Amino acid sequence: MIDVVTSPATIGIIGGGQLGRMLTQSAKTMGYRVGILEPTPNSPAGQVADFQITAPYNDQAALTKLAKESDVLTYEFENVDLAALEAVRDLTRIPQGTAILATTRDRIKEKTFLQTHGVPVTPFAAVDRPEALTAAIEKIGLPSILKTTTGGYDGHGQQDINTMADVPAAEQLLAHGPCILEKRQQFDREASVMITRDGRDQVRVFPIVENRHKNHILHLTLAPAPHISPVLAEKIDDLATKIALGLDLRGVLGVELFLEGDNVVANELAPRPHNSGHYSIEACNFSQFDAHILSICGLPIPPITLKQPAVMRNLLGDDLTQAKAKWPQHPEWHMHDYGKAEIRPGRKMGHITVTDERDVMDILKQMEAAW
């Protein structure tokens, strides 16, 4: 149990991107005030919040100012300055704490945590210098993937090693810091699930969704994931609950999964709202953003249900411009524009969600036909 914080209290969010924007919109609907710490002026979150402090995330004075003006402090991304966050713990409530950040921002710590709690993971080995890579390959085998232990996302900070000829290129990655070598996992499809724990310590698990990627970036999310057997659904629910309790979770957490038949392997954790949970805004009784706000404010959350099947499509770069041109012909689209100032290739500019009573694969066909 944690302290209950009700509106019109102020929620401070570190980070002003699209996740902060949607968290703000959810909190504002509930009557909270919201403040943002973000170095980019007029950020996506700052546009809809009550105020924005424009400063670097590790600016201690700025973070202290936000903490003093907030009744609850949270974050929209994992690479928060832990020392800076620890320094303001006595000034405000930080329900998520910093331990979850320390675990999930480091791939070795994250995999070790999962393994310790009985959650299946791909075989892995720590690699802290080029000379250790060969020994790690002998232990893990090929094909495998070398990843930086911190900072990588959307395919950045990793190198495939299919044969020993790929080792020299992989060794260059070690110049950026310690790495982890992971056995490349055989799987049929990628999936994810959002989890939360409410103010009464009840774990709530969102629907299992299937994710399809392009160039290592999420392209489509299908909710619910088709062809999930009762056996697999139970495994994933049990896995999510173990993780939530093991992390003493507050807020929401995204769990990325590899599926092969009825076998499941946990890939990565994200201690905040996740791209693959955006469908929940229209498709669930409570969205992932609602759940995050309710959880950090110590409020109850009912079991999460899927009201209708849904497909979410990311809009990267100029996809947003194309989508706006097509929008008048598609009244079924729920359009989300993140309000970013500049369109860049590969940049997440928005998303579209379509909900319907039909099978999720029929929704997918309709959405794909529009492009």
Side-chain angles (χ1 to χ4, degrees):
M1 302 285 286
I2 61 174
D3 292 341
V4 173
V5 179
T6 58
S7 58
T10 299
I11 298 173
I13 303 175
I14 303 170
Q18 65 267 20
L19 298 180
R21 181 186 182 93
M22 289 180 274
L23 281 171
T24 299
Q25 290 168 329
S26 179
K28 292 295 293 178
T29 297
M30 298 180 200
Y32 292 96
R33 295 184 71 252
V34 180
I36 304 295
L37 174 62
E38 164 64 39
T40 305
N42 193 36
S43 67
Q47 293 165 19
V48 296
D50 293 279
F51 65 91
Q52 174 177 325
I53 298 171
T54 305
Y57 303 127
N58 62 354
D59 185 321
Q60 192 66 64
L63 184 56
T64 298
K65 178 177 172 60
L66 180 65
K68 287 181 176 179
E69 294 189 30
S70 302
D71 298 284
V72 178
L73 197 60
T74 186
Y75 39 80
E76 65 140 21
F77 63 100
E78 35 290 50
N79 293 317
V80 177
D81 188 302
L82 293 183
L85 197 58
E86 283 286 352
V88 299
R89 284 187 71 112
D90 294 336
L91 300 177
T92 188
R93 299 173 182 87
I94 309 177
Q96 296 154 278
T98 56
I100 189 171
L101 284 173
T103 297
T104 58
R105 73 194 300 174
D106 185 298
R107 287 190 169 99
I108 294 172
K109 290 180 180 178
E110 181 177 271
K111 287 283 194 296
T112 303
F113 163 83
L114 291 169
Q115 200 173 55
T116 301
H117 286 80
V119 176
V121 296
T122 189
F124 67 95
V127 183
D128 59 357
R129 60 192 187 284
E131 310 87 77
L133 182 55
T134 301
I137 291 172
E138 290 175 356
K139 176 184 176 182
I140 301 302
L142 296 178
S144 56
I145 307 171
L146 187 68
K147 302 178 180 179
T148 55
T149 56
T150 60
Y153 67 97
D154 290 343
H156 299 290
Q158 60 182 262
Q159 175 69 46
D160 290 342
I161 305 179
N162 298 308
T163 70
M164 293 303 290
D166 296 323
V167 169
E171 287 178 339
Q172 295 179 19
L173 199 60
L174 284 157
H176 300 284
C179 292
I180 182 173
L181 185 71
E182 298 178 4
K183 178 73 173 176
R184 183 178 296 161
Q185 192 69 39
Q186 294 295 319
F187 58 89
D188 301 325
R189 50 192 170 147
E190 295 181 73
S192 63
V193 65
M194 301 303 301
I195 53 176
T196 189
R197 191 164 67 117
D198 73 4
R200 297 174 179 171
D201 293 336
Q202 294 295 308
V203 175
R204 302 302 189 193
V205 184
F206 280 73
I208 304 160
V209 301
E210 180 176 324
N211 298 317
R212 300 184 180 184
H213 293 76
K214 280 188 176 181
N215 302 319
H216 301 288
I217 302 174
L218 182 65
H219 176 53
L220 295 165
T221 293
L222 283 59
H227 313 303
I228 297 291
S229 71
V231 170
L232 182 56
E234 184 176 355
K235 282 183 181 179
I236 293 173
D237 190 275
D238 179 61
L239 172 153
T241 301
K242 283 181 180 178
I243 293 170
L245 295 177
L247 289 170
D248 192 21
L249 179 65
R250 301 294 173 190
V252 295
L253 179 85
V255 184
E256 297 180 30
L257 308 165
F258 294 134
L259 307 181
E260 185 173 24
D262 281 342
N263 294 320
V264 57
V265 169
N267 179 28
E268 292 185 352
L269 306 178
R272 35 84 180 166
H274 191 262
N275 201 169
S276 68
H278 292 349
Y279 75 93
S280 63
I281 298 172
E282 287 82 21
C284 293
N285 57 333
F286 285 80
S287 75
Q288 64 168 340
F289 303 100
D290 297 335
H292 186 92
I293 298 300
L294 292 168
S295 176
I296 64 172
C297 290
L299 292 162
I301 303 172
I304 304 298
T305 58
L306 187 71
K307 297 185 293 184
Q308 286 187 316
V311 174
M312 187 281 299
R313 186 193 196 278
N314 256 342
L315 299 175
L316 305 181
D318 197 49
D319 286 350
L320 179 64
T321 304
Q322 296 179 46
K324 286 181 178 179
K326 297 173 186 289
W327 191 7
Q329 284 73 51
H330 293 279
E332 74 279 11
W333 285 3
H334 294 275
M335 174 69 76
H336 294 260
D337 181 341
Y338 299 153
K340 295 185 178 179
E342 181 185 359
I343 292 177
R344 296 198 296 264
R347 191 182 197 192
K348 294 171 184 171
M349 301 300 301
H351 72 269
I352 293 167
T353 300
V354 175
T355 63
D356 203 297
E357 296 291 350
R358 295 172 299 160
D359 182 82
V360 70
M361 298 306 293
D362 291 331
I363 303 173
L364 177 62
K365 289 176 184 176
Q366 178 192 34
M367 183 174 279
E368 288 183 327
W371 293 83

